[in-house]
Coordinates of all heavy atoms in Angstrom, one line a residue:
D115 N -119.2 -179.8 -0.6 CA -119.7 -180.9 0.2 C -119.9 -180.5 1.7 O -119.0 -179.8 2.3 CB -118.6 -182.0 0.2 CG -119.1 -183.3 -0.5 OD1 -120.3 -183.4 -0.9 OD2 -118.3 -184.2 -0.7
F116 N -121.0 -180.8 2.2 CA -121.3 -180.4 3.6 C -120.9 -181.4 4.6 O -120.8 -181.1 5.8 CB -122.8 -180.1 3.7 CG -123.7 -181.4 3.6 CD1 -124.0 -182.1 4.7 CD2 -124.1 -181.7 2.3 CE1 -124.8 -183.3 4.5 CE2 -124.9 -182.9 2.1 CZ -125.3 -183.6 3.2
A117 N -120.7 -182.7 4.3 CA -120.4 -183.8 5.2 C -119.2 -183.5 6.1 O -119.3 -183.8 7.3 CB -120.2 -185.1 4.5
P118 N -118.1 -183.0 5.6 CA -117.0 -182.7 6.6 C -117.3 -181.7 7.6 O -116.6 -181.7 8.7 CB -115.9 -182.2 5.6 CG -116.3 -182.7 4.3 CD -117.8 -182.7 4.3
H119 N -118.3 -180.9 7.4 CA -118.7 -179.8 8.4 C -119.6 -180.4 9.5 O -119.8 -179.6 10.4 CB -119.2 -178.6 7.7 CG -118.4 -178.1 6.6 ND1 -117.2 -177.4 6.9 CD2 -118.4 -178.2 5.3 CE1 -116.6 -177.1 5.8 NE2 -117.3 -177.5 4.8
L120 N -120.1 -181.5 9.3 CA -121.0 -182.1 10.3 C -120.3 -182.9 11.4 O -120.4 -184.1 11.5 CB -122.0 -183.0 9.6 CG -122.9 -182.4 8.5 CD1 -123.7 -183.4 7.8 CD2 -123.8 -181.3 9.2
T121 N -119.5 -182.2 12.1 CA -118.7 -182.9 13.1 C -119.4 -183.0 14.5 O -119.1 -183.9 15.3 CB -117.3 -182.1 13.4 OG1 -117.7 -180.8 13.7 CG2 -116.5 -182.2 12.1
T122 N -120.4 -182.2 14.7 CA -121.2 -182.2 15.9 C -122.6 -182.5 15.5 O -123.3 -181.7 14.8 CB -121.1 -180.9 16.7 OG1 -119.8 -180.6 16.9 CG2 -121.9 -181.0 18.0
I123 N -123.1 -183.7 15.9 CA -124.4 -184.1 15.6 C -125.2 -184.2 16.9 O -124.8 -184.9 17.8 CB -124.4 -185.4 14.9 CG1 -123.7 -185.3 13.5 CG2 -125.9 -185.9 14.7 CD1 -123.5 -186.7 12.8
Q124 N -126.3 -183.4 17.0 CA -127.1 -183.4 18.2 C -128.0 -184.7 18.1 O -128.3 -185.2 17.1 CB -128.1 -182.2 18.2 CG -127.3 -180.9 18.3 CD -126.4 -180.8 19.5 OE1 -126.8 -181.1 20.6 NE2 -125.1 -180.4 19.2
R125 N -128.4 -185.2 19.3 CA -129.1 -186.4 19.4 C -130.4 -186.4 18.5 O -130.7 -187.4 17.9 CB -129.4 -186.8 20.8 CG -129.9 -188.2 20.9 CD -129.9 -188.7 22.4 NE -130.4 -190.0 22.4 CZ -130.8 -190.6 23.5 NH1 -130.8 -190.0 24.6 NH2 -131.2 -191.9 23.4
N126 N -131.1 -185.3 18.6 CA -132.3 -185.2 17.8 C -132.1 -185.0 16.3 O -133.0 -185.1 15.5 CB -133.2 -184.0 18.3 CG -132.5 -182.7 18.2 OD1 -131.3 -182.6 18.0 ND2 -133.3 -181.6 18.2
E127 N -130.9 -184.9 15.9 CA -130.5 -184.8 14.4 C -130.0 -186.1 13.8 O -129.7 -186.2 12.6 CB -129.4 -183.8 14.2 CG -129.9 -182.4 14.7 CD -128.7 -181.4 14.6 OE1 -127.6 -181.8 14.8 OE2 -129.0 -180.2 14.5
C128 N -129.9 -187.2 14.6 CA -129.3 -188.4 14.2 C -130.0 -189.0 13.0 O -129.4 -189.4 12.0 CB -129.2 -189.4 15.3 SG -128.0 -188.9 16.6
T129 N -131.3 -189.1 13.1 CA -132.1 -189.7 12.0 C -132.0 -188.9 10.7 O -131.8 -189.5 9.6 CB -133.6 -189.8 12.4 OG1 -133.7 -190.6 13.6 CG2 -134.4 -190.5 11.3
I130 N -131.9 -187.6 10.8 CA -131.7 -186.7 9.6 C -130.3 -187.0 9.0 O -130.2 -187.1 7.8 CB -131.9 -185.2 10.0 CG1 -133.3 -185.0 10.5 CG2 -131.5 -184.3 8.8 CD1 -133.5 -183.7 11.1
M131 N -129.3 -187.2 9.9 CA -128.0 -187.4 9.4 C -127.9 -188.8 8.6 O -127.2 -188.9 7.6 CB -127.0 -187.4 10.5 CG -126.8 -186.0 11.1 SD -126.2 -184.7 9.9 CE -127.7 -184.0 9.4
V132 N -128.6 -189.8 9.1 CA -128.6 -191.1 8.5 C -129.3 -191.0 7.1 O -128.8 -191.5 6.1 CB -129.3 -192.1 9.4 CG1 -129.5 -193.4 8.6 CG2 -128.5 -192.4 10.6
A133 N -130.4 -190.2 7.1 CA -131.1 -190.0 5.8 C -130.1 -189.2 4.8 O -130.0 -189.5 3.6 CB -132.3 -189.2 6.0
A134 N -129.3 -188.2 5.4 CA -128.4 -187.5 4.5 C -127.3 -188.5 4.0 O -126.9 -188.4 2.8 CB -127.8 -186.4 5.3
A135 N -126.8 -189.4 4.8 CA -125.8 -190.3 4.4 C -126.4 -191.2 3.3 O -125.7 -191.5 2.3 CB -125.3 -191.2 5.6
D136 N -127.6 -191.6 3.5 CA -128.2 -192.5 2.4 C -128.3 -191.7 1.1 O -128.0 -192.3 0.0 CB -129.6 -192.9 2.9 CG -130.3 -193.8 1.9 OD1 -129.7 -194.9 1.5 OD2 -131.4 -193.5 1.4
M137 N -128.7 -190.5 1.2 CA -128.7 -189.6 -0.1 C -127.4 -189.5 -0.7 O -127.2 -189.5 -2.0 CB -129.4 -188.3 0.2 CG -130.8 -188.3 0.5 SD -131.6 -186.8 1.1 CE -130.7 -185.5 0.4
L138 N -126.4 -189.3 0.1 CA -125.0 -189.2 -0.4 C -124.5 -190.5 -1.1 O -124.0 -190.4 -2.2 CB -124.0 -188.8 0.7 CG -124.1 -187.4 1.1 CD1 -123.4 -187.2 2.5 CD2 -123.5 -186.4 0.1
V139 N -124.9 -191.6 -0.5 CA -124.5 -192.9 -1.1 C -125.2 -193.0 -2.5 O -124.6 -193.4 -3.5 CB -125.0 -194.1 -0.2 CG1 -124.8 -195.4 -1.0 CG2 -124.1 -194.1 1.0
R140 N -126.5 -192.7 -2.6 CA -127.2 -192.8 -3.8 C -126.7 -191.8 -4.9 O -126.8 -192.0 -6.1 CB -128.7 -192.6 -3.6 CG -129.3 -193.8 -2.9 CD -130.8 -193.8 -2.8 NE -131.2 -193.0 -1.6 CZ -132.0 -192.0 -1.6 NH1 -132.6 -191.5 -2.7 NH2 -132.3 -191.3 -0.5
A141 N -126.0 -190.7 -4.4 CA -125.5 -189.7 -5.3 C -124.0 -190.1 -5.7 O -123.4 -189.3 -6.4 CB -125.5 -188.3 -4.7
G142 N -123.6 -191.3 -5.2 CA -122.2 -191.7 -5.5 C -121.1 -191.0 -4.7 O -120.0 -191.0 -5.1
K143 N -121.5 -190.6 -3.5 CA -120.6 -189.9 -2.6 C -120.4 -190.7 -1.3 O -120.6 -190.1 -0.2 CB -121.0 -188.5 -2.4 CG -121.0 -187.6 -3.6 CD -121.4 -186.2 -3.4 CE -121.3 -185.4 -4.7 NZ -121.2 -184.1 -4.5
A144 N -120.1 -191.9 -1.5 CA -119.9 -192.8 -0.3 C -118.9 -192.3 0.7 O -119.2 -192.4 1.9 CB -119.6 -194.2 -0.7
P145 N -117.8 -191.7 0.3 CA -116.8 -191.2 1.3 C -117.4 -190.2 2.3 O -117.2 -190.1 3.5 CB -115.6 -190.7 0.6 CG -115.6 -191.5 -0.7 CD -117.2 -191.7 -1.0
A146 N -118.3 -189.3 1.7 CA -118.9 -188.3 2.5 C -119.9 -189.0 3.5 O -120.1 -188.6 4.6 CB -119.6 -187.3 1.6
A147 N -120.6 -190.0 3.0 CA -121.6 -190.7 3.8 C -120.8 -191.4 5.0 O -121.3 -191.4 6.1 CB -122.4 -191.7 3.0
L148 N -119.7 -192.0 4.7 CA -118.9 -192.6 5.7 C -118.5 -191.6 6.8 O -118.4 -192.0 7.9 CB -117.7 -193.4 5.1 CG -118.1 -194.6 4.2 CD1 -116.9 -195.0 3.5 CD2 -118.7 -195.7 5.1
Q149 N -118.1 -190.4 6.4 CA -117.7 -189.4 7.4 C -118.9 -189.1 8.3 O -118.8 -188.9 9.5 CB -117.2 -188.1 6.7 CG -116.7 -187.1 7.7 CD -115.5 -187.7 8.5 OE1 -114.6 -188.2 7.9 NE2 -115.7 -187.6 9.8
I150 N -120.1 -189.0 7.7 CA -121.3 -188.8 8.5 C -121.5 -189.9 9.5 O -121.7 -189.7 10.7 CB -122.6 -188.6 7.7 CG1 -122.5 -187.2 6.9 CG2 -123.8 -188.7 8.6 CD1 -123.6 -187.0 6.0
Y151 N -121.4 -191.1 9.1 CA -121.5 -192.3 10.0 C -120.4 -192.2 11.1 O -120.7 -192.5 12.2 CB -121.4 -193.6 9.2 CG -122.7 -194.0 8.6 CD1 -122.8 -194.2 7.2 CD2 -123.9 -194.2 9.3 CE1 -123.9 -194.5 6.5 CE2 -125.0 -194.6 8.6 CZ -125.1 -194.7 7.3 OH -126.3 -195.1 6.7
E152 N -119.2 -191.9 10.7 CA -118.1 -191.7 11.6 C -118.5 -190.8 12.7 O -118.3 -191.0 13.9 CB -116.8 -191.3 10.9 CG -115.6 -191.5 11.7 CD -115.1 -192.9 11.9 OE1 -115.0 -193.6 10.9 OE2 -114.9 -193.3 13.0
N153 N -119.0 -189.6 12.3 CA -119.3 -188.6 13.3 C -120.5 -189.1 14.2 O -120.6 -188.8 15.4 CB -119.7 -187.3 12.6 CG -118.5 -186.7 11.9 OD1 -117.4 -187.0 12.2 ND2 -118.8 -185.8 10.9
L154 N -121.5 -189.7 13.6 CA -122.6 -190.2 14.3 C -122.2 -191.3 15.4 O -122.6 -191.2 16.5 CB -123.6 -190.9 13.3 CG -124.8 -191.5 13.9 CD1 -125.7 -190.4 14.5 CD2 -125.6 -192.3 12.8
F155 N -121.3 -192.2 15.0 CA -120.8 -193.2 15.9 C -119.9 -192.7 17.0 O -119.7 -193.3 18.0 CB -120.2 -194.4 15.2 CG -121.1 -195.0 14.3 CD1 -120.7 -195.5 13.0 CD2 -122.5 -195.2 14.5 CE1 -121.5 -196.2 12.1 CE2 -123.3 -195.8 13.7 CZ -122.9 -196.3 12.5
A156 N -119.4 -191.4 16.8 CA -118.6 -190.8 17.9 C -119.5 -190.4 19.1 O -119.0 -190.3 20.2 CB -117.9 -189.5 17.4
R157 N -120.8 -190.4 18.9 CA -121.7 -190.1 20.0 C -121.8 -191.3 20.9 O -122.2 -192.4 20.4 CB -123.1 -189.7 19.5 CG -123.1 -188.4 18.7 CD -124.6 -188.0 18.5 NE -125.2 -187.8 19.8 CZ -125.3 -186.7 20.5 NH1 -124.7 -185.6 20.0 NH2 -125.9 -186.6 21.6
R158 N -121.5 -191.2 22.1 CA -121.6 -192.4 23.0 C -123.0 -192.5 23.6 O -123.3 -193.5 24.3 CB -120.6 -192.2 24.2 CG -119.2 -192.4 23.6 CD -119.0 -193.8 23.2 NE -118.0 -193.9 22.1 CZ -118.0 -194.8 21.1 NH1 -119.0 -195.8 21.2 NH2 -117.2 -194.8 20.2
D159 N -123.9 -191.6 23.4 CA -125.2 -191.6 24.0 C -126.3 -192.2 23.0 O -127.5 -192.2 23.4 CB -125.7 -190.2 24.5 CG -125.8 -189.2 23.4 OD1 -125.2 -189.5 22.3 OD2 -126.4 -188.1 23.6
L160 N -125.9 -192.7 21.9 CA -126.8 -193.4 21.0 C -127.4 -194.7 21.6 O -126.5 -195.5 22.2 CB -126.2 -193.8 19.7 CG -125.9 -192.7 18.6 CD1 -125.3 -193.3 17.4 CD2 -127.2 -192.0 18.3
P161 N -128.6 -194.9 21.6 CA -129.1 -196.1 22.1 C -128.6 -197.3 21.3 O -128.4 -197.2 20.1 CB -130.7 -196.0 21.9 CG -130.9 -194.6 21.7 CD -129.7 -194.0 21.1
D162 N -128.3 -198.4 22.0 CA -127.6 -199.5 21.3 C -128.4 -200.1 20.2 O -127.8 -200.5 19.2 CB -127.3 -200.7 22.4 CG -126.2 -200.4 23.3 OD1 -125.5 -199.3 23.1 OD2 -126.0 -201.1 24.3
N163 N -129.7 -200.1 20.3 CA -130.5 -200.7 19.2 C -130.4 -199.8 17.9 O -130.3 -200.3 16.8 CB -132.0 -200.8 19.6 CG -132.7 -199.5 20.0 OD1 -132.0 -198.5 20.4 ND2 -134.0 -199.4 19.8
L164 N -130.4 -198.5 18.1 CA -130.2 -197.6 16.9 C -128.8 -197.7 16.4 O -128.6 -197.7 15.2 CB -130.5 -196.2 17.2 CG -132.0 -195.9 17.5 CD1 -132.2 -194.4 17.8 CD2 -132.8 -196.3 16.2
R165 N -127.8 -197.7 17.3 CA -126.4 -197.8 16.9 C -126.2 -199.1 16.0 O -125.6 -199.1 15.0 CB -125.5 -197.9 18.1 CG -124.0 -197.9 17.7 CD -123.2 -197.9 19.0 NE -123.2 -196.6 19.7 CZ -122.5 -195.6 19.4 NH1 -121.6 -195.6 18.4 NH2 -122.6 -194.5 20.1
L166 N -126.8 -200.2 16.5 CA -126.6 -201.5 15.7 C -127.3 -201.4 14.4 O -126.7 -201.9 13.4 CB -127.3 -202.6 16.6 CG -127.1 -204.0 16.0 CD1 -125.6 -204.4 15.8 CD2 -127.8 -205.0 16.9
I167 N -128.5 -200.9 14.2 CA -129.1 -200.7 12.9 C -128.3 -199.9 12.0 O -128.0 -200.2 10.9 CB -130.5 -200.1 13.1 CG1 -131.5 -201.0 13.8 CG2 -131.1 -199.6 11.8 CD1 -132.8 -200.4 14.3
W168 N -127.8 -198.8 12.5 CA -127.0 -197.8 11.7 C -125.6 -198.4 11.4 O -125.1 -198.1 10.3 CB -127.0 -196.4 12.3 CG -128.3 -195.8 12.3 CD1 -129.4 -196.0 11.5 CD2 -128.8 -194.8 13.2 NE1 -130.5 -195.3 11.7 CE2 -130.1 -194.5 12.8 CE3 -128.2 -194.1 14.3 CZ2 -130.9 -193.5 13.5 CZ3 -129.0 -193.2 14.9 CH2 -130.3 -192.9 14.5
L169 N -125.0 -199.2 12.3 CA -123.8 -199.8 12.0 C -123.9 -200.7 10.8 O -123.0 -200.8 10.0 CB -123.3 -200.6 13.3 CG -122.6 -199.8 14.3 CD1 -122.4 -200.6 15.6 CD2 -121.2 -199.3 13.8
R170 N -125.0 -201.5 10.8 CA -125.2 -202.5 9.7 C -125.3 -201.7 8.4 O -124.8 -202.2 7.4 CB -126.4 -203.3 10.0 CG -126.2 -204.3 11.1 CD -127.5 -205.1 11.5 NE -127.2 -206.0 12.5 CZ -128.1 -206.5 13.4 NH1 -129.3 -206.1 13.3 NH2 -127.8 -207.3 14.3
E171 N -126.0 -200.6 8.4 CA -126.0 -199.8 7.1 C -124.6 -199.2 6.8 O -124.3 -199.3 5.6 CB -127.1 -198.7 7.3 CG -128.5 -199.1 7.4 CD -128.9 -200.0 6.1 OE1 -128.6 -199.5 5.0 OE2 -129.5 -201.1 6.4
A172 N -124.0 -198.7 7.7 CA -122.6 -198.1 7.5 C -121.6 -199.2 7.0 O -120.8 -198.9 6.1 CB -122.1 -197.5 8.8
I173 N -121.7 -200.4 7.5 CA -120.9 -201.5 7.1 C -121.1 -201.7 5.6 O -120.1 -201.9 4.8 CB -121.1 -202.7 7.9 CG1 -120.6 -202.5 9.4 CG2 -120.4 -203.9 7.3 CD1 -121.1 -203.5 10.4
K174 N -122.3 -201.8 5.2 CA -122.6 -202.0 3.7 C -121.9 -200.9 2.9 O -121.3 -201.2 1.8 CB -124.1 -202.0 3.5 CG -124.8 -203.2 4.0 CD -126.3 -203.0 3.8 CE -127.1 -204.0 4.6 NZ -128.6 -203.7 4.5
V175 N -122.0 -199.6 3.4 CA -121.4 -198.5 2.6 C -119.9 -198.7 2.6 O -119.3 -198.5 1.6 CB -121.9 -197.2 3.2 CG1 -121.2 -196.0 2.5 CG2 -123.4 -197.0 3.1
A176 N -119.3 -199.0 3.7 CA -117.9 -199.1 3.8 C -117.4 -200.3 2.9 O -116.4 -200.1 2.2 CB -117.5 -199.4 5.3
N177 N -118.1 -201.3 2.9 CA -117.7 -202.5 2.0 C -117.8 -202.1 0.5 O -116.9 -202.4 -0.2 CB -118.5 -203.7 2.3 CG -118.1 -204.4 3.6 OD1 -117.0 -204.3 4.1 ND2 -119.1 -205.1 4.2
A178 N -118.9 -201.4 0.2 CA -119.0 -201.0 -1.2 C -118.0 -200.1 -1.6 O -117.5 -200.0 -2.8 CB -120.4 -200.4 -1.4
D179 N -117.5 -199.2 -0.6 CA -116.4 -198.2 -1.0 C -115.0 -198.8 -0.7 O -114.0 -198.0 -0.8 CB -116.7 -197.0 -0.1 CG -116.0 -195.8 -0.7 OD1 -116.1 -195.5 -1.9 OD2 -115.3 -195.1 0.1
H180 N -115.0 -200.0 -0.4 CA -113.6 -200.7 -0.1 C -112.9 -200.1 1.0 O -111.6 -200.0 1.0 CB -112.8 -200.7 -1.4 CG -113.5 -201.3 -2.6 ND1 -113.8 -202.7 -2.7 CD2 -114.0 -200.8 -3.7 CE1 -114.5 -202.9 -3.8 NE2 -114.6 -201.8 -4.4
D181 N -113.6 -199.6 2.0 CA -113.0 -199.0 3.2 C -113.0 -200.1 4.3 O -113.8 -200.2 5.2 CB -113.8 -197.8 3.7 CG -113.1 -197.0 4.7 OD1 -112.3 -197.6 5.5 OD2 -113.4 -195.8 4.8
M182 N -112.0 -201.0 4.2 CA -112.0 -202.1 5.0 C -111.7 -201.8 6.5 O -112.1 -202.5 7.4 CB -110.9 -203.2 4.5 CG -111.3 -203.8 3.1 SD -112.9 -204.6 3.2 CE -114.0 -203.5 2.3
G183 N -110.9 -200.8 6.7 CA -110.6 -200.3 8.1 C -111.9 -200.0 8.8 O -112.1 -200.6 10.0
R184 N -112.7 -199.2 8.3 CA -114.0 -198.8 8.9 C -114.9 -200.0 9.0 O -115.6 -200.3 10.0 CB -114.7 -197.7 8.2 CG -114.1 -196.4 8.5 CD -115.0 -195.3 7.8 NE -114.6 -194.0 8.2 CZ -114.4 -192.9 7.3 NH1 -114.6 -193.1 6.1 NH2 -114.1 -191.8 7.8
S185 N -115.0 -200.8 7.9 CA -115.8 -202.0 7.9 C -115.5 -203.0 9.0 O -116.4 -203.4 9.8 CB -115.7 -202.7 6.5 OG -116.5 -203.8 6.5
I186 N -114.2 -203.3 9.2 CA -113.8 -204.2 10.2 C -114.1 -203.6 11.6 O -114.7 -204.3 12.5 CB -112.3 -204.5 10.1 CG1 -112.1 -205.4 8.8 CG2 -111.8 -205.3 11.3 CD1 -110.7 -205.6 8.4
R187 N -113.8 -202.4 11.8 CA -114.0 -201.7 13.1 C -115.5 -201.7 13.5 O -115.9 -202.1 14.6 CB -113.5 -200.3 13.1 CG -113.5 -199.6 14.5 CD -112.8 -198.3 14.5 NE -113.7 -197.3 13.8 CZ -113.3 -196.6 12.8 NH1 -112.0 -196.5 12.4 NH2 -114.1 -195.7 12.2
W188 N -116.4 -201.4 12.5 CA -117.8 -201.3 12.7 C -118.4 -202.7 12.8 O -119.3 -202.9 13.6 CB -118.5 -200.5 11.6 CG -118.1 -199.1 11.7 CD1 -117.7 -198.4 12.8 CD2 -118.3 -198.1 10.7 NE1 -117.5 -197.1 12.4 CE2 -117.9 -196.9 11.1 CE3 -118.7 -198.2 9.3 CZ2 -117.9 -195.7 10.4 CZ3 -118.7 -197.0 8.5 CH2 -118.3 -195.8 9.1
E189 N -117.9 -203.7 12.1 CA -118.3 -205.1 12.3 C -118.0 -205.6 13.7 O -118.9 -206.3 14.2 CB -117.7 -206.0 11.2 CG -118.3 -205.8 9.8 CD -117.5 -206.6 8.8 OE1 -116.5 -207.3 9.1 OE2 -117.9 -206.5 7.6
Q190 N -116.9 -205.3 14.2 CA -116.5 -205.7 15.6 C -117.5 -205.0 16.6 O -117.9 -205.7 17.5 CB -115.1 -205.3 15.9 CG -114.1 -206.2 15.1 CD -112.7 -205.6 15.3 OE1 -112.4 -204.5 15.6 NE2 -111.7 -206.5 15.0
E191 N -117.7 -203.8 16.4 CA -118.7 -203.1 17.3 C -120.1 -203.7 17.2 O -120.8 -203.9 18.2 CB -118.7 -201.6 17.0 CG -119.6 -200.9 18.0 CD -119.6 -199.4 17.9 OE1 -118.8 -198.8 17.0 OE2 -120.3 -198.7 18.6
A192 N -120.6 -203.9 16.0 CA -121.8 -204.6 15.8 C -121.9 -206.0 16.4 O -123.0 -206.3 17.0 CB -122.2 -204.7 14.3
A193 N -120.9 -206.7 16.3 CA -120.9 -208.0 17.0 C -121.0 -207.9 18.5 O -121.7 -208.7 19.1 CB -119.6 -208.8 16.5
R194 N -120.2 -207.0 19.0 CA -120.2 -206.7 20.4 C -121.7 -206.4 20.9 O -122.2 -206.9 21.9 CB -119.3 -205.6 20.8 CG -119.2 -205.3 22.3 CD -118.3 -204.2 22.6 NE -118.7 -203.0 22.0 CZ -119.7 -202.2 22.4 NH1 -120.4 -202.5 23.4 NH2 -119.9 -201.0 21.7
L195 N -122.3 -205.4 20.1 CA -123.7 -205.1 20.5 C -124.7 -206.2 20.3 O -125.6 -206.3 21.1 CB -124.1 -203.9 19.6 CG -123.4 -202.5 20.0 CD1 -123.8 -201.5 18.9 CD2 -123.8 -202.1 21.4
S196 N -124.5 -207.0 19.3 CA -125.4 -208.1 19.1 C -125.4 -209.1 20.2 O -126.4 -209.7 20.6 CB -125.0 -208.9 17.8 OG -125.3 -208.0 16.6
V197 N -124.2 -209.3 20.8 CA -124.1 -210.3 21.9 C -124.7 -209.7 23.1 O -125.4 -210.5 23.9 CB -122.6 -210.6 22.1 CG1 -122.4 -211.3 23.4 CG2 -122.0 -211.3 21.0
S198 N -124.6 -208.4 23.3 CA -125.2 -207.8 24.5 C -126.7 -207.6 24.5 O -127.3 -207.3 25.6 CB -124.5 -206.5 24.8 OG -124.8 -205.5 23.8
Q199 N -127.3 -207.8 23.3 CA -128.8 -207.6 23.3 C -129.5 -208.9 23.5 O -129.2 -210.0 23.3 CB -129.1 -207.0 21.9 CG -128.7 -205.6 21.9 CD -129.3 -204.8 20.7 OE1 -130.0 -205.4 19.8 NE2 -129.1 -203.6 20.6

C-alpha cells in the first residue's frame, strides 16, 4: 500500500491525491483513502472552496468505513467553512 507513504503532499498534487483516494475507495481500501484525506487536510494552504468539496467527499468515506472520529471532526470543519463562505 502506498497511502501511508504519502505524508507530504505538494499543493500541485492535491487533485491527484483525491483521485487516488477515490480509486482506493472503489478498490475496497477505504482506510488507505482516509489516510490520504488526513494528509491532504493537514495542509493549511488549501483554498477553502476545495477543502470544503474534499471534506464532503472524505466524510462520505469515513461514514461508510464507520470512522466516526474522523467523520465528526471533518463535519465540524465543513460546517465552519460553510458558514464562512
Side-chain angles (χ1 to χ4, degrees):
D115 247 353
F116 66 91
H119 304 288
L120 299 175
T121 56
T122 305
I123 298 173
Q124 300 301 314
R125 189 166 183 198
N126 64 341
E127 298 171 333
C128 292
T129 304
I130 294 167
M131 294 299 96
V132 171
D136 183 56
M137 288 175 26
L138 286 166
V139 168
R140 287 187 276 125
K143 297 185 178 198
L148 291 170
Q149 186 59 55
I150 288 175
Y151 281 120
E152 192 75 51
N153 295 341
L154 179 67
F155 299 144
R157 294 192 60 89
R158 291 291 147 210
D159 64 343
L160 281 181
D162 286 351
N163 62 330
L164 290 178
R165 183 178 291 275
L166 184 57
I167 291 168
W168 293 335
L169 277 166
R170 289 176 178 153
E171 291 304 311
I173 290 164
K174 291 177 194 174
V175 176
N177 285 334
D179 198 48
H180 307 290
D181 190 333
M182 293 302 107
R184 281 183 173 138
S185 178
I186 290 167
R187 190 175 71 232
W188 290 341
E189 284 173 3
Q190 291 170 340
E191 185 176 356
R194 182 185 57 78
L195 288 173
S196 294
V197 168
S198 68
Q199 288 190 355

